[in-house]
């Protein structure tokens, strides 16, 4: 018998990339190449990056609100419906 105490640590996992993740990564790269070829220099322009920077905080706040309801065990789609209603109202105005 060995005098070493058994450890409860989980075995280390190696980092692996599944086929699904590889396919999604290839799709993302393909879309970036296609949009760059179609739109040209406007795809990575300052105006486009500024537009994305103004839109991302709203999506982040909505994502945090959805995360709270999902972690609590409930699926509350009212947040998405409210965001869609606000977007449609603002587009109409």
């Amino acid at each position: 018998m060995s005098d070493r105490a058994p450890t409860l640590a989980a075995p280390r996992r190696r980092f692996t990339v599944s086929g699904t993740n590889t396919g999604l990564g290839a799709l993302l790269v393909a879309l970036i190449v296609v949009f760059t070829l179609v739109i040209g220099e406007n795809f990575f322009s300052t105006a486009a990056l500024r537009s994305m920077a103004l839109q991302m905080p709203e999506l982040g706040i909505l994502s945090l609100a959805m995360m709270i309801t999902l972690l609590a065990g409930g699926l509350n789609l009212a947040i998405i419906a409210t965001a869609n209603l606000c977007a449609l109202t603002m587009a109409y105005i």
Side-chain angles (χ1 to χ4, degrees):
M1 272 208 271
S2 106
D3 50 346
R4 292 178 68 193
T7 60
L8 299 177
R12 289 185 171 199
R13 290 186 182 177
R14 289 187 349 196
F15 178 74
T16 58
V17 179
S18 68
T20 303
N21 289 340
T22 303
L24 289 175
L27 178 65
L28 179 64
V29 169
L31 285 173
I32 289 173
V33 168
V34 167
F35 281 118
T36 302
L37 292 175
V38 171
I39 298 173
E41 65 215 24
N42 293 332
F43 187 62
F44 288 115
S45 67
T46 306
L49 294 174
R50 186 178 301 144
S51 175
M52 285 187 274
L54 290 174
Q55 294 172 14
M56 289 301 133
E58 178 185 352
L59 293 175
I61 291 171
L62 290 172
S63 298
L64 288 174
M66 283 299 295
M67 181 189 69
I68 293 169
T69 57
L70 289 173
L71 288 177
L75 181 63
N76 187 358
L77 298 178
I79 296 170
I80 296 172
T82 304
N84 288 336
L85 179 64
C86 290
L88 290 173
T89 304
M90 291 305 296
Y92 179 74
I93 291 173

